[in-house]
Amino acid sequence: MMNKAKLALENGSVFEGHSVGAEGTVEAEVCFNTSMTGYQEILTDPSYHGQMVAMTYPHIGNYGVNPDDAESYQPHVSGFIMRELSPRVSNFRSLESLGVYLERNGIPAIAGIDTRQLTKQLRVEGALKGILTTEECSDEDLIKRTRGVQSIVGQDYVQKVTTKEIYEWDPEGDDSPEWLDNDQVEDGMKKPLPPIEHRIVAYDFGIKYNILRRLREQGFGVTVVPAQTEAKEVLAMKPDGVFLSNGPGDPSAVHYAHESVREIMEAVPVFGICLGHQILAHALGGKTFKLKFGHRGGNQPVKDLRDGLVKITSQNHGFAVDADSFEEDSVEVTHINLNDGTCEGLSHRKKPVFSVQYHPEAAPGPHDAAYFFEQFKAQVVAFKN
């Protein structure tokens, strides 16, 4: 017998299914992700802190879970929602099933509900506050309680996920190399890493491991610092550049980061993604706003306004930069989302400073935007010369 579970939304909807994770009750904003694969990367993405994620793809868990695909040290979602949890796992890399992984990490999850109907409600009405529970509770009581769930607006969740100490990423070069194709070499071989040519500092607002791998593959030695590290401390390290990572929460609430970045970009090249992009926008005098239901998935079309090319990108964000909020004409909007026209990229016309809203390091993909790491390296080299 499967234990029952319920998902209640603030609009009065209640979905009843069965529990496929940990027992208990969680309260959070409910959002959806359209990716067909990569559920483990989604679960361990710190940008999802304070949210429950509904997967639109109907069969989740098919290939199990393994430690190599984690994007951080633990899962960060509040709850997980799916149509069906695969009863079997088929993957030689898998070490445990998704259900066992969720239960072991204390993540409540629900399956057996109509995720199409749930997604339609979120798409029409916008992201909704909700409660997921495995406990006995009436529908009326759950709906009433959803209205007291904390909104993500105004919340600084970065402090919940950032590193507590400064550290060097992968000093031995063991965790960054990519696997070579098996038809080219023997199993178990990886691409050699280039020597470290440049030293950069990466702000951890909720950074993902694959970002750090991509930076190391470009010949960067990376020092990761906590989100509240002051600009003077970063600049004292004499970095060749500074990277601003992804992360959760409302970008307007991370005031300390705005101030640090404003000072840092006067001294060295800066590259930001996702929350880092939004923080950079605030540092440049811009503003951000909450999207109706956000962009989350691996199929977001983005147009580069400089050459007209369109890339398919991986995204996970609920806020966006207001392209009309910049007072100076020194800020150029370089990319837009073709679904809704929102800002997806910025560049300073005079300084080596740029950012994108999406995830160029995307794991499991797509990899259309991976060239941004090369662009950052080129700016660092040009600035040093």
Side-chain angles (χ1 to χ4, degrees):
M1 292 291 293
M2 294 183 178
N3 293 333
K4 289 183 178 180
K6 286 183 179 181
L7 172 67
L9 304 177
E10 62 178 312
N11 68 352
S13 296
V14 177
F15 297 85
E16 186 168 328
H18 52 270
S19 172
V20 290
E23 299 293 306
T25 300
V26 288
E27 303 178 353
E29 180 180 272
V30 182
C31 60
F32 64 88
N33 187 299
T34 60
S35 297
M36 296 175 68
T37 61
Y39 52 82
Q40 186 179 349
E41 290 89 340
I42 291 167
L43 288 165
T44 54
D45 181 351
S47 298
Y48 279 116
H49 182 89
Q51 294 177 303
M52 286 187 272
V53 182
M55 301 299 294
T56 62
Y57 190 69
H59 301 289
I60 304 298
N62 309 54
Y63 53 86
V65 175
N66 74 83
D68 292 336
D69 289 344
E71 284 289 357
S72 66
Y73 56 93
Q74 67 177 35
H76 293 276
V77 300
S78 296
F80 205 46
I81 304 160
M82 64 202 92
R83 175 68 184 90
E84 180 181 344
L85 177 64
S86 178
R88 293 185 178 87
V89 173
S90 179
N91 184 353
F92 72 96
R93 296 171 68 236
S94 175
L95 296 184
E96 63 182 332
S97 70
L98 176 58
V100 170
Y101 177 78
L102 291 168
E103 185 174 4
R104 180 169 61 82
N105 284 280
I107 308 296
I110 186 172
I113 71 169
D114 188 347
T115 50
R116 294 172 301 176
Q117 176 62 24
L118 171 61
T119 302
K120 184 176 180 180
Q121 290 187 29
L122 298 174
R123 180 66 172 76
V124 172
E125 300 184 43
L128 297 167
K129 294 182 289 185
I131 295 178
L132 193 164
T133 185
T134 61
E135 301 167 359
E136 287 291 333
C137 192
S138 69
D139 293 356
E140 293 76 14
D141 185 46
L142 283 174
I143 294 169
K144 183 179 180 180
R145 288 167 57 189
T146 61
R147 288 153 195 165
V149 175
Q150 185 180 61
S151 171
I152 197 172
V153 176
Q155 299 303 314
D156 176 9
Y157 288 149
V158 169
Q159 293 301 311
K160 304 286 187 180
V161 300
T162 188
T163 179
K164 305 303 181 188
E165 298 178 353
I166 297 174
Y167 67 91
E168 298 295 319
W169 166 254
D170 193 14
E172 303 301 324
D174 297 328
D175 298 323
S176 299
E178 288 186 337
W179 294 101
L180 285 166
D181 294 335
N182 290 337
D183 59 352
Q184 296 176 343
V185 294
E186 296 179 3
D187 289 353
M189 293 192 67
K190 295 183 177 183
K191 294 180 182 178
L193 287 171
I196 293 176
E197 301 176 277
H198 315 287
R199 295 283 179 179
I200 65 170
V201 169
Y203 267 96
D204 178 11
F205 302 124
I207 201 164
K208 295 163 65 178
Y209 289 159
N210 217 44
I211 292 172
L212 294 167
R213 295 186 187 107
R214 297 294 85 82
L215 290 169
R216 178 62 188 87
E217 287 172 3
Q218 291 299 322
F220 289 120
V222 186
T223 301
V224 184
V225 300
Q228 284 190 301
T229 306
E230 294 183 0
K232 62 181 181 181
E233 185 176 352
V234 168
L235 296 177
M237 300 177 188
K238 300 187 183 303
D240 297 315
V242 171
F243 176 80
L244 312 176
S245 83
N246 61 295
D250 187 340
S252 67
V254 196
H255 303 289
Y256 48 88
H258 306 167
E259 296 171 5
S260 295
V261 173
R262 192 174 295 120
E263 185 175 342
I264 288 169
M265 67 183 181
E266 297 295 328
V268 294
V270 175
F271 172 33
I273 71 165
C274 203
L275 182 67
H277 159 78
Q278 297 160 353
I279 288 171
L280 179 62
H282 279 281
L284 290 166
K287 298 179 181 178
T288 53
F289 64 95
K290 193 174 191 303
L291 292 164
K292 184 176 180 181
F293 49 83
H295 302 154
R296 298 178 180 89
N299 56 352
Q300 294 283 330
V302 171
K303 182 177 181 179
D304 189 330
L305 299 178
R306 298 165 297 184
D307 57 21
L309 294 179
V310 175
K311 307 291 185 182
I312 302 302
T313 68
S314 175
Q315 302 196 11
N316 168 24
H317 61 104
F319 292 81
V321 171
D322 182 352
D324 298 322
S325 63
F326 298 100
E327 297 179 358
E328 299 183 12
D329 60 4
S330 57
V331 180
E332 176 187 8
V333 174
T334 57
H335 299 75
I336 60 168
N337 187 298
L338 288 182
N339 287 334
D340 60 13
T342 53
C343 173
E344 292 277 2
L346 295 172
S347 180
H348 198 282
R349 298 182 191 275
K350 299 178 181 179
K351 300 182 179 70
V353 172
F354 74 103
S355 62
V356 290
Q357 179 64 80
Y358 41 100
H359 289 246
E361 89 296 340
H367 300 136
D368 294 25
Y371 65 91
F372 281 113
F373 293 102
E374 297 175 7
Q375 180 178 325
F376 182 43
K377 180 179 179 179
Q379 286 199 344
V380 167
V381 170
F383 187 81
K384 289 176 71 175
N385 292 337

